[in-house]
C-alpha cells in the first residue's frame, strides 16, 4: 500500500513538474513584439491627481485617465548619482539605459563612459524604433535614447548622433544644433541628409513621408524647444496624439513584426516649471490622449504588447490644497483659462514694447475674458488693488523684474496673475524647479506585473530590457 501511495505521489509530482516546466516555457515565450514607453516629463503624483480630478469633476468623464486604468501601478524613485533632486538628463539616462549618472550628463556614466539605451539594444535585435516628444528631439529625455555626451547642451553633437543611430522615426519641435553660438550654420542638416534621414515639417507634410528614416519637426518658423501648448490652440502645428499616430503608422509600415516607441510629454514639464496649473492639467490630458493611441493598439494585440507609463521626475511640487482655500479647491476655475502663462507673458511684453497706451480697464477686461478673473474666479478688493499696483509698476514705471525659470522668463505681472488663479483654484507649489518626490508607474501587457513595486528609475529600464530579452 505504501509503495502504491508513493508511486501515486511520484506521478502527481511528475505531473506538477511537467506543468511547471510547460508554464516556464510558455512564460519564456511571452516576449512582447511591441513596446510602448511613455514618459510624462515632470509628471509627479500631484499633477496627475489634479488632472484626474479635472478630467472627472470638470470635464465630466465617467472613467479614469487611461493610464490610471492600467492593472499594474507602482512608484519610482528618481534621484541621480549627484543629487537627491535629479535633472532631466540624469533621469532620462536612467530611464533609457538603466544606469545612474550625474545631473547634466546624457547617455554616459559619471566618469563619461558611454552606456547603451534599450532603444539601441532593441534596434540591434531587429526592432523598429521611434523616439518622439512634444519638445526638442535633441532635449535630454529623447537624447538619452541615442546620444552619449558629457553635457546635455551639446546640441550639435547630439544631432550628429541622432543621424548615426539608425532609428526609423524621431520627432520633436526643432533642432538646436543647426547653428553655432555665433549663428553660423553647423552643417547638421546635411549630416542628417547624408545619413538618409528625410526631414518633414509640420502636419501638412506628414503625407509626404516616403523614407525608412524620418525626422518629423514642427512647422517652419516655430520655436525649436516646444511644439506649443494645447491650451493656446495654435493652428497648423504638431500635437502629441498626432505625433504618436504618425510614429505608430510609420513603424507598422517599416517594422511590422516588432517595434519600440518612446513618447515624451515634454510640455508637461515646461508648464510645471512655470507653475501654470491649468496649462499643465491640459497637457497631461493631452498626454493621456497619446496613451490612448497605444492602448487601442494594445487591445488589438494584447498578448504581444507592453505599455509602460512613468515620469522622469516631479516638477513644481504641485499639490491640491493651499492656505488660501484650505479644503475648498475649485479646479473648475481652470476651465476659464484660455491661454498659457507663457502666451500671456508674451502678450504683456508686447504691450511694453509697443507705443500703445494700455489702461488698467483694458487689462481687467482681458483678464476676465482669458482667465475668468473678476467674473467666475473671485478676486477680493485687496487682491485687485495689489494687481493694479503691480500693473502700474510693470507697464508704466517699468520697475519690476521678470520671473526666471528653466525654460522662460515671465513678465512680473503675468506671473502675479497666474499666482492669483492658482491660489483661487486651490493649487500650491514648492518650487519653480524639480523635486525629489517619487513618480508613478503604470503598466499593462506582457510582463507588466514586474512594475508593481517601489521601483528605482534605473530599474524600469532594466525590467523592460529583461522582459524583451528574457534575461
Amino acid at each position: 500500500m505504501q509503495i502504491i501511495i508513493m508511486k501515486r505521489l511520484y506521478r502527481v509530482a511528475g505531473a506538477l513538474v511537467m506543468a511547471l516546466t510547460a508554464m516556464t516555457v510558455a512564460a519564456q515565450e511571452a516576449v512582447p513584439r511591441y513596446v510602448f514607453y511613455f514618459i510624462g516629463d515632470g509628471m509627479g503624483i500631484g499633477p496627475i491627481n489634479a488632472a484626474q480630478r479635472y478630467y472627472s469633476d470638470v470635464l465630466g468623464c465617467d472613467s479614469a485617465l487611461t493610464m490610471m486604468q492600467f492593472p499594474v501601478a507602482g512608484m519610482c524613485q528618481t534621484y541621480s548619482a549627484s543629487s537627491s533632486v535629479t535633472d532631466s538628463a540624469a533621469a532620462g539616462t536612467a530611464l533609457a539605459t538603466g544606469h545612474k549618472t550625474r545631473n547634466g550628463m546624457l547617455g554616459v556614466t559619471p566618469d563619461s563612459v558611454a552606456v547603451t539605451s534599450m532603444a539601441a539594444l532593441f534596434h540591434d535585435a531587429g526592432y523598429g524604433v521611434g523616439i518622439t516628444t512634444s519638445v526638442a528631439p535633441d532635449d535630454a529625455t529623447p537624447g538619452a535614447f541615442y546620444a552619449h555626451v558629457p553635457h546635455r547642451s551639446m546640441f550639435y553633437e547630439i544631432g550628429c548622433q541622432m543621424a548615426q543611430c539608425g532609428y526609423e522615426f524621431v520627432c520633436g519641435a526643432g533642432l538646436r544644433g543647426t547653428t553655432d553660438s555665433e549663428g553660423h550654420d553647423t552643417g547638421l542638416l546635411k549630416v542628417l541628409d547624408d545619413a538618409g534621414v528625410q526631414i518633414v515639417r509640420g502636419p501638412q507634410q506628414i503625407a509626404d513621408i516616403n523614407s525608412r528614416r524620418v525626422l518629423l519637426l514642427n512647422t517652419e518658423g516655430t520655436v525649436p524647444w516646444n511644439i506649443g501648448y494645447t491650451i493656446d490652440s495654435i493652428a497648423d502645428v504638431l500635437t502629441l496624439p498626432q505625433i504618436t499616430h504618425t510614429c505608430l503608422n510609420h513603424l507598422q509600415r517599416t517594422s511590422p513584426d516588432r517595434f519600440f516607441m518612446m513618447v515624451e510629454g515634454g510640455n508637461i514639464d515646461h508648464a510645471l516649471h512655470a507653475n501654470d496649473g491649468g496649462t499643465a492639467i491640459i497637457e497631461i490630458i493631452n498626454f493621456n490622449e497619446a496613451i490612448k493611441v497605444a492602448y487601442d493598439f494594445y487591445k488589438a494585440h494584447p498578448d504581444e504588447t507592453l505599455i509602460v507609463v512613468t515620469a522622469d521626475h516631479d516638477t513644481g511640487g504641485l499639490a491640491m490644497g493651499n492656505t488660501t482655500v484650505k479644503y475648498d479647491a475649485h479646479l473648475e476655475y481652470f476651465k476659464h483659462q484660455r491661454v498659457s502663462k507663457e502666451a500671456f507673458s508674451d502678450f504683456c511684453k508686447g504691450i511694453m514694447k509697443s507705443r500703445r497706451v494700455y489702461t488698467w480697464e483694458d487689462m481687467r477686461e482681458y483678464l476676465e475674458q482669458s482667465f475668468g478673473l473678476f467674473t467666475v474666479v473671485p478676486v477680493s478688493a485687496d487682491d485687485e488693488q495689489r494687481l493694479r499696483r503691480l500693473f502700474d509698476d510693470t507697464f508704466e514705471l517699468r520697475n519690476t523684474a521678470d520671473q526666471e525659470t528653466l525654460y522662460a522668463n515671465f513678465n512680473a505681472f503675468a506671473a502675479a496673475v497666474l499666482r492669483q488663479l492658482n491660489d483661487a483654484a486651490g493649487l500650491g507649489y514648492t518650487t519653480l524647479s524639480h523635486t525629489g518626490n517619487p513618480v508613478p508607474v503604470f503598466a499593462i501587457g506582457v510582463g507588466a506585473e514586474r512594475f508593481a513595486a517601489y521601483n528605482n528609475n534605473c530599474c524600469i529600464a532594466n525590467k523592460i530590457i529583461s522582459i524583451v530579452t528574457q534575461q
Side-chain angles (χ1 to χ4, degrees):
M1 178 65 71
Q2 187 176 3
I3 293 174
I4 294 173
I5 292 173
M6 289 298 295
K7 286 182 177 178
R8 288 176 179 171
L9 287 173
Y10 285 137
R11 290 194 198 103
V12 171
L16 285 171
V17 169
M18 291 178 64
L20 289 170
T21 301
M23 290 171 63
T24 301
V25 171
Q28 289 175 344
E29 292 174 349
V31 176
R33 296 169 58 194
Y34 312 110
V35 180
F36 296 85
Y37 198 13
F38 285 87
I39 301 173
D41 197 334
M43 191 182 70
I45 295 295
I48 285 183
N49 189 39
Q52 176 56 53
R53 294 268 50 82
Y54 186 90
Y55 190 68
S56 59
D57 299 347
V58 179
L59 299 184
C61 298
D62 294 332
S63 61
L65 294 168
T66 301
M67 59 185 134
M68 297 181 75
Q69 297 180 48
F70 288 179
V72 175
M75 299 287 287
C76 183
Q77 301 177 80
T78 64
Y79 64 89
S80 72
S82 59
S83 175
S84 296
V85 181
T86 189
D87 85 322
S88 291
T93 299
L95 289 174
T97 73
H99 294 269
K100 295 278 189 182
T101 194
R102 299 177 63 84
N103 287 355
M105 303 182 80
L106 190 61
V108 295
T109 62
D111 52 355
S112 297
V113 176
V115 286
T116 305
S117 76
M118 67 175 76
L121 287 173
F122 298 159
H123 197 254
D124 288 346
Y127 281 67
V129 171
I131 304 298
T132 69
T133 181
S134 58
V135 293
D138 54 15
D139 210 348
T141 301
F145 287 85
Y146 61 81
H148 314 279
V149 290
H151 200 275
R152 59 183 289 183
S153 64
M154 300 172 65
F155 299 124
Y156 173 74
E157 291 80 4
I158 292 171
C160 289
Q161 292 178 43
M162 179 194 301
Q164 297 162 5
C165 72
Y167 298 166
E168 282 69 19
F169 194 92
V170 177
C171 178
L175 298 176
R176 293 170 292 181
T178 56
T179 57
D180 60 22
S181 58
E182 297 179 352
H184 301 137
D185 184 2
T186 61
L188 177 57
L189 294 180
K190 186 178 185 306
V191 172
L192 288 159
D193 184 64
D194 289 345
V197 179
Q198 180 188 12
I199 299 177
V200 179
R201 291 187 177 273
Q204 296 82 2
Q205 292 187 13
I206 288 175
D208 298 333
I209 292 175
N210 57 18
S211 174
R212 180 175 182 84
R213 295 195 62 197
V214 174
L215 172 60
L216 174 61
L217 301 176
N218 206 15
T219 308
E220 192 81 45
T222 55
V223 298
W225 57 83
N226 190 317
I227 64 172
Y229 291 116
T230 307
I231 199 170
D232 290 325
S233 301
I234 305 169
D236 301 322
V237 297
L238 295 169
T239 68
L240 193 61
Q242 180 183 54
I243 289 169
T244 308
H245 266 296
T246 304
C247 182
L248 176 57
N249 290 340
H250 185 73
L251 291 177
Q252 285 182 287
R253 287 194 301 271
T254 60
S255 310
D257 293 334
R258 44 189 174 167
F259 57 74
F260 168 83
M261 273 181 63
M262 190 286 293
V263 180
E264 183 200 20
N267 277 354
I268 300 169
D269 180 63
H270 286 213
L272 289 168
H273 272 289
N275 287 180
D276 185 353
T279 298
I281 286 170
I282 297 303
E283 285 303 322
I284 292 172
I285 293 173
N286 184 254
F287 182 61
N288 189 67
E289 291 301 306
I291 294 171
K292 283 183 181 179
V293 175
Y295 184 58
D296 287 341
F297 180 90
Y298 160 81
K299 287 188 289 186
H301 308 272
D303 299 324
E304 302 173 302
T305 305
L306 170 65
I307 305 175
V308 178
V309 182
T310 190
D312 53 351
H313 50 73
D314 172 66
T315 300
L318 182 152
M320 285 196 296
N322 58 31
T323 55
T324 301
V325 302
K326 298 180 181 177
Y327 300 113
D328 195 22
H330 292 278
L331 293 183
E332 70 273 12
Y333 291 164
F334 289 122
K335 193 172 184 179
H336 303 277
Q337 182 178 348
R338 301 283 184 261
V339 297
S340 66
K341 180 178 178 179
E342 188 170 315
F344 178 47
S345 177
D346 289 343
F347 173 76
C348 291
K349 291 177 181 179
I351 293 172
M352 297 178 71
K353 291 178 181 178
S354 72
R355 296 175 179 266
R356 177 185 173 188
V357 176
Y358 201 83
T359 67
W360 168 249
E361 286 69 29
D362 294 327
M363 180 58 76
R364 195 179 192 279
E365 181 180 357
Y366 181 93
L367 297 181
E368 290 175 2
Q369 295 174 350
S370 299
F371 297 99
L373 293 180
F374 306 106
T375 54
V376 178
V377 183
V379 180
S380 69
D382 288 344
D383 284 336
E384 180 171 0
Q385 286 301 313
R386 178 180 55 80
L387 288 174
R388 182 162 187 171
R389 285 194 300 271
L390 185 58
F391 174 86
D392 292 340
D393 289 343
T394 302
F395 296 95
E396 294 183 18
L397 302 178
R398 309 293 179 101
N399 65 354
T400 58
D402 284 354
Q403 180 191 61
E404 296 186 14
T405 71
L406 181 62
Y407 295 107
N409 291 342
F410 294 102
N411 171 274
F413 182 76
V417 168
L418 268 294
R419 192 179 305 116
Q420 179 75 34
L421 179 59
N422 279 318
D423 286 349
L427 296 188
Y429 303 85
T430 64
T431 179
L432 292 165
S433 299
H434 301 173
T435 78
N437 291 341
V439 297
V441 183
F442 306 103
I444 190 170
V446 180
E449 66 281 353
R450 299 197 194 185
F451 301 94
Y454 192 61
N455 301 275
N456 198 307
N457 57 3
C458 56
C459 296
I460 301 295
N462 291 328
K463 287 179 181 180
I464 295 175
I465 291 170
S466 67
I467 290 167
V468 172
T469 61
Q470 287 293 294
Q471 293 179 350

